[in-house]
Structure formats: C-alpha cells, structure tokens
Amino acid sequence: MSKKTPITVARGDGIGPADTASPSHKADKKQPAPATPLVSVIMGSKSDWETMKAAADILAQFGVAHECRVISAHRTPEVLTGFATTAESRGIEVIIAGAGGAAHLAGVTAAQTVIPVLGVPIESKALHGMDSLLSIVQMPGGIPVGTLAIGTPGAKNAALLAIAILAGKRTRLRDKLKAYREEMKRKAAEETLS
Ligand code: RP5
C-alpha cells in the first residue's frame, strides 16, 4: 500500500453481512465488529477531507465499518484502478467518492466496478462546486454515479444513502435508520422561534 494514500479504517459495531447471507450471520445477532469495511469513502485530495469527514461521521454514528482514503483519478490513476478492481473482493458494498473541480474520481471508479458509487461534489473555490457537480452528475448513460448535493450536505447524504443501500438486507441497520428519521421528525416538530 502506498504511503501517499493514507487509509483510516473505522470498525463497525456488528453491522456485518446481510441478514440473508446465512442464518449464522444474521446481523440482528450480537456479533464482533467486522474487520472489513463495508463502505469505502475516497476523495481526490486531503483538502476534500474537511467535507468528506461528514460522511465518515455518519457512518461511524450508525456503526458501519468503513475506510477513508485519498485516491486521485489524475494524480494516482494506477492506485485508483487497483482500488476499484479489488473493492468487490475486499467486501466493499458501497463507494462514496468526493472530488472537486474536473471531478472525474467517481466516474472513473464506477467505470471499473459494479459496486454502487455515490459522488459528492466538493465546493470548489473557482466555481463554488458547480464544476464538481456537473462533472459528477453528467455521466453518459451506461455507467451510473449517484450524485449528491454540493459540499457537506452531500457528504452527509451520501453516507445516509449508503446506509439505506446496506439496510435493504440488514434489519438492525434499517431499524437504526428509521430511528434516526424519527428523531429528526421529533426535533423538527419541537422547533420554536422564540
Ligand atoms: C481534486 O482537485 C480534488 O478532489 C480536490 O477537490 C481538488 C483540489 O485538490 P488540491 O489541489 O486541494 O489537492 O482532484
């Protein structure tokens, strides 16, 4: 592993294989935290971390094992190919890719794996993220990238969408997501303007 592509790995709290994988792997059973990440959060530059840590925070809050790495489509293209082509065999189920400017990271990643890729447009200085947004969202038909909002809200929602994808086959995670929504609803209902 290159020293220029730092990785942080956060263990989950037992959110592991899908419920349907095998009865002995039911996610509802108390299990040791899986060592292998289910979600990979990648970003084109360390400068993107300020935005992308919002995705990592949500994944940690839900106890989803994940890894965070800097991989650039143009500075380290070989590393990206190695990452994308081995992600499936490593057990990664969703990839979140944040990039800014001519933001090709998500698209180039999606081109090399069938794992769902969620793109987060980083708010660039020159064009306030419009360049990033259009670069990520305008994938030609055939290789999809799910594109979220510009900046921190997009990073947060990318993680929530990744959780929703994982929750399809993991009842405990689905329950956590429902509880999160309920809490949001409760807080909104209790808002006062005084
Ligand atoms: C992109 O270029 C990165 O995703 C980042 O948003 C942007 C600027 O990178 P730095 O010059 O800050 O490293 O590849």
Side-chain angles (χ1 to χ4, degrees):
M1 200 67 66
S2 167
K3 283 180 182 168
K4 288 179 182 168
T5 56
I7 304 176
T8 64
V9 178
R11 296 172 76 89
D13 74 347
I15 302 293
D19 295 354
T20 51
S22 91
S24 62
H25 281 90
K26 286 256 185 201
D28 286 1
K29 286 189 177 176
K30 200 71 187 162
Q31 291 195 10
T36 52
L38 294 172
V39 179
S40 192
V41 179
I42 61 173
M43 61 213 82
S45 167
K46 190 176 177 183
S47 65
D48 300 329
W49 177 236
E50 193 181 332
T51 301
M52 297 309 292
K53 68 184 179 204
D57 287 347
I58 291 282
L59 292 168
Q61 186 182 329
F62 278 79
V64 173
H66 59 281
E67 62 180 9
C68 300
R69 311 178 53 170
V70 173
I71 305 177
S72 170
H74 58 275
R75 290 171 180 151
T76 59
E78 298 86 359
V79 175
L80 178 57
T81 294
F83 163 79
T85 55
T86 58
E88 190 179 333
S89 63
R90 290 198 302 117
I92 301 294
E93 295 190 28
V94 184
I95 296 169
I96 297 174
H104 34 249
L105 180 63
V108 176
T109 303
Q112 301 181 85
T113 179
V114 293
I115 296 169
V117 177
L118 308 179
V120 179
I122 301 295
E123 188 170 349
S124 57
K125 284 194 186 119
L127 296 171
H128 308 293
M130 279 305 292
D131 44 355
S132 322
L133 172 64
L134 296 178
S135 299
I136 295 174
V137 80
Q138 285 292 68
M139 282 298 288
I143 306 291
V145 169
T147 309
L148 285 301
I150 295 170
T152 304
K156 183 176 177 179
N157 278 347
L160 289 168
L161 190 52
I163 288 162
I165 292 168
L166 295 173
K169 295 269 169 58
R170 294 172 174 86
T171 50
R172 191 155 66 88
L173 193 55
R174 204 178 316 148
D175 289 345
K176 282 187 177 186
L177 193 52
K178 286 177 181 171
Y180 177 87
R181 293 275 184 99
E182 281 303 316
E183 178 63 6
M184 217 165 45
K185 193 192 289 184
R186 189 190 63 75
K187 280 185 181 160
E190 287 176 4
E191 292 283 14
T192 61
L193 299 178
S194 57

